[in-house]
Amino acid sequence: MIRLLIADDESLLRMAFRMVFEAEPDMEVAGEADDGEQAARLARYLRPDVVLMDVRMPGLDGIEATRRIVRDSPRSRVLILTTFDLDEYAFAGLKAGAAGFLPKNTRPPELLSAIRNVAAGEAALSPRVTRRVLERFAPQMTPGPAERDERLAQLTAREHEVLVQVARGLSNAEVAAALHLAEATVKTHLSRVLVKLGLRDRAQVVVFAYETGLVRPPPPTSDHRSHGGGQAQEDGT
C-alpha cells in the first residue's frame, strides 16, 4: 500500500486528488496539508511514501517544505506540482531533493503511474525532461571542477560513463546501446552509482552532474519562447 500526503492550499484540488487515489487498490491518503509548514510536520509524523507537493502555498512554500522533508523524513519522497514542465519551480524542486515534478494538468493515469514509480524508488519523469529543465536553469549554478567532489573517486570507469550518460538524459536502454552493454548491466552500474554518491534516484543524478560540472548546459540559442504548453512537450513526441 502506497501512503500519500497531499499538500496544496486549494481544498477542492485536495478533494479531487483524494477521490482519485482512494479509488486505487494500492493507495491510501494518509493526510492532507494546506501549507508547507504543515506538510513538513505531517511528513515527520505520518511517514508517507510519497508527498504530492504544490509549490505556491501561504507561509512556507513547497520548495522549502520539500527541502525539510528530504532532510527530516528521508523515507518520504516528494513529487512537485508545477504550472508548466519547464519552469523555475521544477528546477528549484529538483535542487531541493524532489524525486521529480509534474504539471498540475497531468492526466490521472500519468499521475498514478508517476506516484507508483516514485514509491518504487524511480524518478517521476523522463530523464530528458529533467535534463531540459536543468539546461534552462543551470546557469544559476556555479559549478567548479568536477574533481572537487571526492565521491567521484569511488566510481569505476564504467560507472562514471553510466553516470554521464544518464545525466545527459539517456534512458537505461539508450545508455546500454551507447556503451554496448546489456540493459540489466546498466541498471546494476546505476544502482552502484546511487549508493556510492549517496543519491536517491535519476533526478538527483542529473542535478549532481550539473552541480559538479560533469555535464554542462549547451551554449545559449536564439529560442526565447516563454514557459508555455509547447515547451512541455518532450522532444516532439
Side-chain angles (χ1 to χ4, degrees), residues 92-171:
L94 291 175
K95 287 270 290 179
F101 55 86
L102 294 170
K104 279 196 168 185
N105 62 355
T106 298
R107 293 176 297 178
E110 296 169 352
L111 174 61
L112 295 171
S113 177
I115 289 172
R116 291 186 176 104
N117 286 341
V118 167
E122 301 293 334
L125 72 169
S126 78
R128 279 195 177 85
V129 173
T130 306
R131 183 200 63 200
R132 287 170 60 195
V133 169
L134 290 173
E135 286 177 351
R136 180 173 294 279
F137 297 102
Q140 300 176 23
M141 299 180 181
T142 54
E147 292 77 18
R148 73 179 183 181
D149 196 302
E150 296 178 355
R151 290 176 293 176
L152 288 169
Q154 303 176 53
L155 303 182
T156 65
R158 184 61 85 184
E159 290 166 354
H160 190 280
E161 289 178 325
V162 170
L163 165 63
V164 171
Q165 297 296 331
V166 168
R168 287 175 176 163
L170 274 63
S171 66

Side-chain angles (χ1 to χ4, degrees), residues 160-215:
H160 190 280
E161 289 178 325
V162 170
L163 165 63
V164 171
Q165 297 296 331
V166 168
R168 287 175 176 163
L170 274 63
S171 66
N172 287 345
E174 291 170 332
V175 174
L179 300 181
H180 306 290
L181 298 171
E183 188 171 347
T185 302
V186 171
K187 291 180 181 179
T188 298
H189 285 311
L190 180 56
S191 295
R192 290 172 179 166
V193 167
L194 294 175
V195 171
K196 289 181 179 181
L197 299 183
L199 306 176
R200 297 205 295 182
D201 52 44
R202 300 176 78 98
Q204 289 195 353
V205 167
V206 181
V207 173
F208 173 87
Y210 274 82
E211 286 186 321
T212 57
L214 279 176
V215 176

Side-chain angles (χ1 to χ4, degrees), residues 28-44:
E28 65 176 2
V29 177
E32 299 180 17
D34 58 12
D35 61 46
E37 193 77 48
Q38 186 180 28
R41 184 171 64 253
L42 286 177
R44 290 195 302 271

